[in-house]
Amino acid sequence: MKLSLVVPCYNEEGNIAEMNKAIEKAFSGCGFDYEIVFVNDGSTDNTYKALCEVYNNSTQNIKVVNFSRNFGKESAIFAGLKESCGDITAIIDADLQQRPEIVLEMVRILDEDSETDCVTAYQETRKEGAVSRFFKNGFYKIINKFSDTEFVKNASDFRAMRREMVDAVLDMEEYFRFSKGIFSWVGFNTKYIPYTAEKRFSGETKWSFGKLFKYALDGIISFTTLPLKLATGVGLITSMLSIIYLIVVVIQKLFFKIDVPGYATIVVLVLLLGGIQLLCLGIVGEYIGKTYMETKKRPIYIAKKILDYKDKNRIDRS
Ligand code: UDP
Ligand code: MG
């Protein structure tokens, strides 16, 4: 198999048939064989029904992995990569924001240049508000400064990778998956090509501002120990300041006989230090919580059913 297309789907009932058609249109006459691995990430609408329909009726090689519940896009990507068998595997969204024709371009680049292991598409121009741009810029600045892994701005999961890279990604079996980081952590030569995201064909984005914010924090916790260092830094600075203040108070009392008026200062300091301590405890807690979940070694996803085109073509001789 030359190419596998991994398509994570969560509540995409209106997009499946159209996506299947778009892939067929882009790849008809491409001259090589390919398969599509749809992953139904516990959709609550009729996505699975739509997937069964294309599986039964389409002439393309289609595999459908049906999750037992919603595990998130990262888990869906992991399952898709695991179930794919192409020499090259591409990841593409189900909502037609990313055109399948671009995958053809990625394959062409990989065919022409044996030194390149991965082609990633990034959005050159993004239509987004000033607030979200501010937070995104902040995220990339922080994570690139404090992590050894390089994070390329606006690079998406929309990419095509050679088998060796896919296997390396699959070897990373961490429970809290942050693909942006994992894809760069494994190394390999990556080429970046610009693309413009189309409008969503049907349905709505699953990423609210709150969800994105949490995702960014998870990424920072997964790939840097910056928050822990911050906690140490804040602790050091407050300790130093309080020692200086202590010396000032003692000198005032002993040499100048100045009584330091106490109540307000004490209340403010107690509250401030209490707050800082709780914050630092929370940061440590985040890391301990993540470590705790990782030690449980729970599966990244549970598939309750897998429909495989290979079974469909198999002739039962019994
Ligand atoms: N997705 C998924 N599981 C989730 C959320 C999203 O598999 O829990 C899929 C979704 O069906 C789509 C892709 O991830 O194919 C990207 O999602 P979306 O279009 O909502 O994100 P955006 O394009 O707005 O970043
Ligand atoms: Mg989308």
Side-chain angles (χ1 to χ4, degrees):
M1 184 65 60
K2 163 93 173 174
L3 174 74
S4 302
L5 281 155
V6 170
V7 191
C9 315
Y10 176 57
N11 291 351
E12 304 282 6
E13 59 182 358
N15 292 321
I16 302 297
E18 198 59 32
M19 182 65 186
N20 189 55
K21 245 192 268 167
I23 295 175
E24 192 157 18
K25 192 166 154 240
F27 286 88
S28 63
C30 66
F32 56 76
D33 49 352
Y34 65 95
E35 63 172 10
I36 311 170
V37 183
F38 286 109
V39 182
N40 176 31
D41 185 12
S43 303
T44 48
D45 64 357
N46 287 321
T47 300
Y48 185 58
K49 215 168 139 201
L51 286 173
C52 289
E53 227 151 80
V54 292
Y55 170 77
N56 288 323
N57 301 325
S58 175
T59 48
Q60 303 186 92
N61 295 328
I62 292 178
K63 210 169 186 182
V64 178
V65 182
N66 192 25
F67 279 6
S68 60
R69 65 168 169 85
N70 177 249
F71 280 86
K73 187 183 177 188
E74 303 286 340
S75 305
I77 290 176
F78 183 81
L81 293 180
K82 205 161 179 184
E83 292 299 331
S84 70
C85 67
D87 301 330
I88 296 172
T89 299
I91 302 166
I92 184 167
D93 285 355
D95 54 9
L96 291 137
Q97 285 194 284
Q98 305 164 340
R99 302 299 309 176
E101 286 79 10
I102 303 172
V103 177
L104 267 182
E105 168 73 10
M106 292 175 175
V107 173
R108 195 186 54 76
I109 294 173
L110 288 174
D111 279 346
E112 278 173 7
D113 181 7
S114 58
E115 288 300 303
T116 304
D117 305 296
C118 171
V119 182
T120 302
Y122 69 91
Q123 289 190 53
E124 220 170 10
T125 45
R126 287 187 82 132
K127 289 175 221 108
E128 61 189 1
V131 179
S132 98
R133 190 170 326 127
F134 171 79
F135 277 103
K136 269 190 192 145
N137 286 343
F139 167 76
Y140 282 108
K141 265 202 194 118
I142 291 174
I143 204 151
N144 274 320
K145 196 159 172 53
F146 294 98
S147 165
D148 299 333
T149 311
E150 198 201 344
F151 290 76
V152 175
K153 208 166 143 190
N154 287 345
S156 55
D157 297 329
F158 186 25
R159 59 180 64 222
M161 297 170 274
R162 285 190 203 282
R163 192 75 240 164
E164 296 78 14
M165 182 164 170
V166 172
D167 288 341
V169 170
L170 289 173
D171 276 344
M172 296 181 70
E173 289 185 321
E174 55 210 69
Y175 185 76
F176 289 101
R177 304 189 69 77
F178 188 66
S179 289
K180 273 184 203 302
I182 290 175
F183 288 139
S184 29
W185 193 91
V186 292
F188 295 90
N189 292 332
T190 302
K191 203 168 184 169
Y192 294 90
I193 58 168
Y195 89 103
T196 314
E198 311 280 326
K199 257 184 81 127
R200 209 169 212 287
F201 182 74
S202 158
E204 275 178 12
T205 177
K206 317 292 179 304
W207 295 93
S208 60
F209 180 78
K211 255 185 151 181
L212 272 178
F213 194 77
K214 190 180 167 297
Y215 182 67
L217 278 186
D218 280 346
I220 291 175
I221 290 176
S222 289
F223 277 85
T224 75
T225 47
L226 168 71
L228 284 176
K229 285 183 190 136
L230 270 182
T232 317
V234 171
L236 270 177
I237 290 169
T238 34
S239 310
M240 263 154 51
L241 287 179
S242 35
I243 289 172
I244 293 170
Y245 187 58
L246 178 90
I247 295 170
V248 171
V249 170
V250 169
I251 291 174
Q252 279 180 336
K253 182 83 188 161
L254 287 184
F255 299 106
F256 301 102
K257 304 272 181 268
I258 303 171
D259 261 341
V260 185
Y263 181 71
T265 327
I266 288 171
V267 171
V268 169
L269 283 180
V270 165
L271 286 179
L272 179 74
L273 287 178
I276 291 174
Q277 277 173 356
L278 283 179
L279 179 76
C280 295
L281 209 64
I283 292 173
V284 177
E286 283 288 328
Y287 281 88
I288 293 179
K290 290 242 176 340
T291 315
Y292 174 59
M293 290 306 288
E294 291 288 355
T295 55
K296 288 183 183 230
K297 292 240 173 291
R298 287 192 176 157
I300 295 164
Y301 68 92
I302 296 170
K304 59 177 176 187
K305 195 162 176 69
I306 297 178
L307 306 173
D308 193 339
Y309 62 92
K310 288 177 195 139
D311 298 335
K312 209 161 93 173
N313 301 336
R314 196 172 292 152
I315 302 160
D316 195 358
R317 293 184 198 282
S318 60

